[in-house]
């Protein structure tokens, strides 16, 4: 399992939202690149970045900050939020040097765009963000709920050629109440797509449980920022365990 620390960007700052509510935000740093570098020093093998302004507005609002983060890192970095056309995909992958982008709203609203992106860059670099609210897919920075059930959406994604998703239960995000294990087990049993658990991680035990369940990856955000997890220790433990397998 890969453990992926997260940085959410709003107005150039590292923040966290509560259940995706833009009015309930906590600012953690005005220098997100410093946080990113610290994650790398702890041994993280990937970084997850979300442009919250981009997710809401469909723009590249935090481009300058994203470039700063990319410039200081040597580990791979994935980025989501507001990536809704090939021009933006090309910008992030070819010019900024992002390793993989996460398509959310565009993936459900424009399947042809998703197909084109996968054909051009391959399924390793085009990930889909599946945000779930009450069992249904949500879009536009979680502000719009569709009538598409998440398992139906995953079947569509498989048919298109998607191999990786980041799946977030919105009701859990930023709550420190533990992930939606039933949701992820449902996906594990009914889909061949590799998924990253996102939302609700509250402590190290949650991370170890996700690892034990055999899931592909796990994102940790608020639990780290609130001091609930010694990330360096957890990463070290996971690396020791994988070396013994």
């Amino acid at each position: 399992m890969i453990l992926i620390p997260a940085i959410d960007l709003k107005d150039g700052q590292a923040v966290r939202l509560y259940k995706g509510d833009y009015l309930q935000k906590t600012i953690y740093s005005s220098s997100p690149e410093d946080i990113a570098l610290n994650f790398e020093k702890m041994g993280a093998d990937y970084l997850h970045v979300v442009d919250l302004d981009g997710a809401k507005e469909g723009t590249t609002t935090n481009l300058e900050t994203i470039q700063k983060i990319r410039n200081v890192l040597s580990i791979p970095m994935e980025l989501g939020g507001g990536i809704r056309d090939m021009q933006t995909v090309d910008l992030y992958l070819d010019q900024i040097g992002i390793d993989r982008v996460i398509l959310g709203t565009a993936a459900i609203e424009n399947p042809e765009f998703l197909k084109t992106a996968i054909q051009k860059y391959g399924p390793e670099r085009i990930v889909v963000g599946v945000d779930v609210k009450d069992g249904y897919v949500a879009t536009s920075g979680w502000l719009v709920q569709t009538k598409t059930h998440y398992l139906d959406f995953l079947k569509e994604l498989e048919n298109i050629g998607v191999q990786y998703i980041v799946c977030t239960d919105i009701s859990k995000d930023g709550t420190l109440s533990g992930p939606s294990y039933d949701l992820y087990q449902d996906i594990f049993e009914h889909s061949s797509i590799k998924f990253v658990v996102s939302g609700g991680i509250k402590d190290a035990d949650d991370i170890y449980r996700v690892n034990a369940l055999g899931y592909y990856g796990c994102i940790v955000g608020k639990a780290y920022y609130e001091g609930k997890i010694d990330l360096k220790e957890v990463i070290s433990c996971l690396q020791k365990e994988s070396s013994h397998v």
Side-chain angles (χ1 to χ4, degrees):
M1 182 193 79
I2 59 170
L3 180 60
I4 314 174
I7 298 175
D8 289 358
L9 300 175
K10 189 167 193 321
D11 303 319
Q13 299 173 312
V15 309
R16 294 298 288 174
L17 304 183
Y18 181 78
K19 293 187 179 181
D21 186 347
Y22 282 74
L23 298 177
Q24 295 190 64
K25 72 172 182 178
T26 304
I27 299 171
Y28 290 110
S29 174
S30 55
S31 300
E33 64 273 20
D34 294 340
I35 295 178
L37 196 54
N38 196 35
F39 283 143
E40 181 172 320
K41 288 176 181 174
M42 289 180 194
D45 42 23
Y46 228 105
L47 177 69
H48 176 83
V49 177
V50 178
D51 181 347
L52 292 173
D53 298 301
K56 192 175 183 182
E57 300 156 14
T59 57
T60 55
T61 309
N62 288 290
L63 183 62
E64 186 179 336
T65 305
I66 291 162
Q67 182 70 78
K68 282 183 188 174
I69 294 171
R70 179 67 276 177
N71 288 347
V72 302
L73 284 185
S74 58
I75 59 172
M77 172 178 165
E78 64 183 19
L79 174 72
I83 305 170
R84 296 175 194 169
D85 54 47
M86 280 306 296
Q87 185 179 0
T88 309
V89 172
D90 294 340
L91 169 67
Y92 284 133
L93 294 181
D94 293 336
Q95 295 180 43
I96 306 299
I98 303 300
D99 296 273
R100 62 187 187 192
V101 293
I102 302 164
L103 306 182
T105 299
I108 196 163
E109 292 182 352
N110 189 352
E112 288 305 314
F113 161 53
L114 176 59
K115 284 181 192 173
T116 302
I118 288 178
Q119 286 166 359
K120 183 170 183 178
Y121 290 103
E124 295 284 341
R125 302 193 72 191
I126 305 296
V127 178
V128 175
V130 179
D131 300 325
V132 181
K133 189 173 185 180
D134 302 324
Y136 294 88
V137 178
T139 63
S140 302
W142 301 350
L143 301 175
V144 179
Q145 187 168 351
T146 70
K147 294 180 180 178
T148 303
H149 190 270
Y150 65 88
L151 286 180
D152 294 332
F153 186 45
L154 293 192
K155 286 175 188 167
E156 293 174 22
L157 294 181
E158 283 181 12
N159 291 336
I160 288 172
V162 172
Q163 293 181 12
Y164 297 90
I165 65 168
V166 174
C167 184
T168 305
D169 182 340
I170 295 170
S171 70
K172 294 284 188 177
D173 194 69
T175 64
L176 297 176
S177 59
S180 291
Y181 290 108
D182 290 346
L183 168 76
Y184 295 117
Q185 193 58 31
D186 210 20
I187 295 172
F188 191 68
E189 292 173 3
H190 294 95
S191 174
S192 62
I193 285 179
K194 293 177 180 175
F195 60 89
V196 175
V197 171
S198 170
I201 293 289
K202 67 182 183 303
D203 53 26
D205 288 342
D206 277 333
I207 295 172
Y208 296 138
R209 182 175 174 186
V210 170
N211 182 50
L213 288 166
Y215 302 158
Y216 165 70
C218 177
I219 287 172
V220 59
K222 188 171 184 179
Y224 164 76
Y225 293 108
E226 297 288 330
K228 310 285 186 187
I229 289 177
D230 183 335
L231 198 60
K232 188 175 181 180
E233 181 185 328
V234 172
I235 290 170
S236 177
C237 287
L238 290 173
Q239 288 172 343
K240 284 177 187 172
E241 187 175 320
S242 66
S243 66
H244 289 139
V245 174

